Every structure is written in C-alpha cells, then in structure tokens.
C-alpha cells in the first residue's frame, strides 16, 4: 500500500471513530442521563433535551454556546487517547471530527449550505445531510445517534445496537431516562 492510500485510510478511520464515539455520547445524553445529574445535567443534558422538543433551538445560539460542551468532551477524549495510544493521523482525524461534530450537526438544521464544497461533502455523506439526520428527530427518536456522517447509522440501526444496549442495561437494572425522547420502537 502506498503512503497516500495509508494516510487516506487513517484519516477516514479516524473520522468514523469520531462519528461512532459521538454517537455513543449522544445516545448516553438522550437515553441514560437526566437533567438532574449534577453539573452536566444543566449544561449538557438540558440543552440536548430542548433540542429534541425544539430542533432549531440550538441554531439560535452562538458558535461557542453551540460547541463548547462538544469541545470539552472531544478534547478530553483526545487527550486520553494521546496519553494512552500516542499521537497519529487516526488520532488527529478523530480529534478534528469530534471537535466539528456539533457544528456539522448544526448544518443539518440549517438551509442547504451555499458553499459547493459543503454540499458535496453532505451529498457523499462525509458530513451528515439534513435528510439523514431528520430520521433522528422522528418519533420515537431512538435511532441515528451519530451526527458526523451518513455512513454509520444505517449499520448501527439495522443491527439494533442502541436497542440492544438499552435491553442489556434494563436487564442489569440500569434505569433509562427516555422520557424526553420516548421509548424504543421495540419497548
């Protein structure tokens, strides 16, 4: 494999890792955490729940308000990864994807981007399209948790990954806080 193909593969893998990790964090916000959790309840869970009641609410806030919590979570995960596994092209791409995920999510709630390069990225699914993301906001809002690309959600939803996680947690007695997003289709 030549160096270009290896670099391209590493960048793509890092981007998809960011999408998956972001999806896991999003699922935790939507289904596990409560607005009553100290500190993060008010600053992370409550705005997320508001976004489900009013999907355009966060588009009316400024860049920093929209992205600060994501910067903190992505930055923390990036630092832990760098300490544990070192710095690499995969790490750099995952970090960039993590840092950009809320802004990409924002674009899915805005009119189609005017910039041609953003439209192309959405058209190929490298950044999430509005049409794909709309599936997350359809009741009961129990799918399409990954907000960076259009690529991972179809597989995760077909394999019922989120439902299986919820069923496992229910079996071991972990309470879910799904009142803001509704129960899963299967229960």
């Amino acid at each position: 494999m030549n160096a270009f193909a290896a670099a391209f593969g590493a960048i793509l893998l890092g981007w998809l890792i960011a999408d998956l990790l972001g999806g896991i964090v999003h699922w935790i916000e939507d289904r596990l955490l409560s607005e009553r959790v100290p500190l993060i309840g008010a600053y992370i869970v409550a705005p997320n729940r508001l976004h489900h009641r009013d999907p355009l609410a966060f588009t009316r806030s400024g860049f920093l308000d929209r992205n600060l919590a994501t910067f903190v979570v992505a930055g923390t995960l990036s630092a832990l990864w760098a300490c544990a596994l070192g710095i690499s092209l995969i790490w750099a791409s995952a970090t960039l994807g993590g840092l950009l995920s809320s802004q990409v999510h924002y674009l899915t709630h805005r009119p189609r981007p005017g910039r041609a390069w953003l439209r192309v990225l959405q058209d190929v699914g490298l950044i999430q399209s509005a049409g794909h993301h709309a599936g997350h906001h359809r009741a009961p809002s129990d799918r399409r948790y990954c907000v960076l690309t259009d690529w991972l959600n179809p597989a995760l939803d077909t394999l019922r990954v989120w439902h299986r996680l919820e069923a496992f947690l229910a079996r071991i007695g972990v309470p879910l806080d799904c009142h803001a997003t509704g129960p899963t289709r299967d229960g």
Side-chain angles (χ1 to χ4, degrees):
M1 184 180 332
N2 67 35
F4 175 79
F8 180 79
I11 291 168
L12 187 57
L13 178 59
W15 196 254
L16 293 174
I17 289 169
D19 196 22
L20 179 61
L21 292 175
I24 292 167
V25 169
H26 185 183
W27 173 77
I28 290 169
E29 288 174 354
D30 277 9
R31 308 301 277 190
L32 285 177
L33 296 179
S34 163
E35 293 181 45
R36 295 177 304 279
V37 173
L39 189 63
I40 65 170
Y43 295 103
I44 296 176
V45 181
N48 183 55
R49 300 285 169 87
L50 172 61
H51 173 66
H52 279 273
R53 291 188 305 274
D54 177 6
L56 297 179
F58 86 121
T59 66
R60 295 186 288 268
S61 61
F63 177 84
L64 199 54
D65 287 339
R66 235 184 357 261
N67 292 285
L68 184 59
T70 300
F71 291 167
V72 170
V73 171
T76 300
L77 291 174
S78 176
L80 291 171
W81 178 341
C83 289
L85 302 173
I87 294 173
S88 66
L89 198 50
I90 296 171
W91 166 85
S93 180
T95 299
L96 180 63
L99 293 171
L100 291 175
S101 64
S102 280
Q103 195 61 22
V104 168
H105 179 210
Y106 166 77
L107 292 174
T108 68
H109 289 281
R110 303 289 302 154
R112 186 120 160 101
R115 293 187 168 85
W117 63 273
L118 278 175
R119 288 194 310 271
V120 167
L121 293 176
Q122 284 185 329
D123 289 345
V124 300
L126 190 59
I127 65 171
Q128 193 162 89
S129 64
H132 182 85
H133 180 65
H136 178 69
H137 287 282
R138 283 196 276 290
S141 300
D142 65 349
R143 60 194 175 111
R144 296 196 180 170
Y145 290 102
C146 300
V147 298
L148 190 57
T149 77
D150 285 358
W151 299 342
L152 293 181
N153 286 318
L156 295 169
D157 294 343
T158 297
L159 295 170
R160 299 175 54 226
V161 168
W162 311 114
H163 170 75
R164 292 173 195 270
L165 280 170
E166 290 177 20
F168 169 74
L169 292 175
R171 275 195 300 279
I172 64 171
V174 176
L176 298 176
D177 188 24
C178 303
H179 65 277
T181 55
T184 62
R185 285 183 181 79
D186 301 321

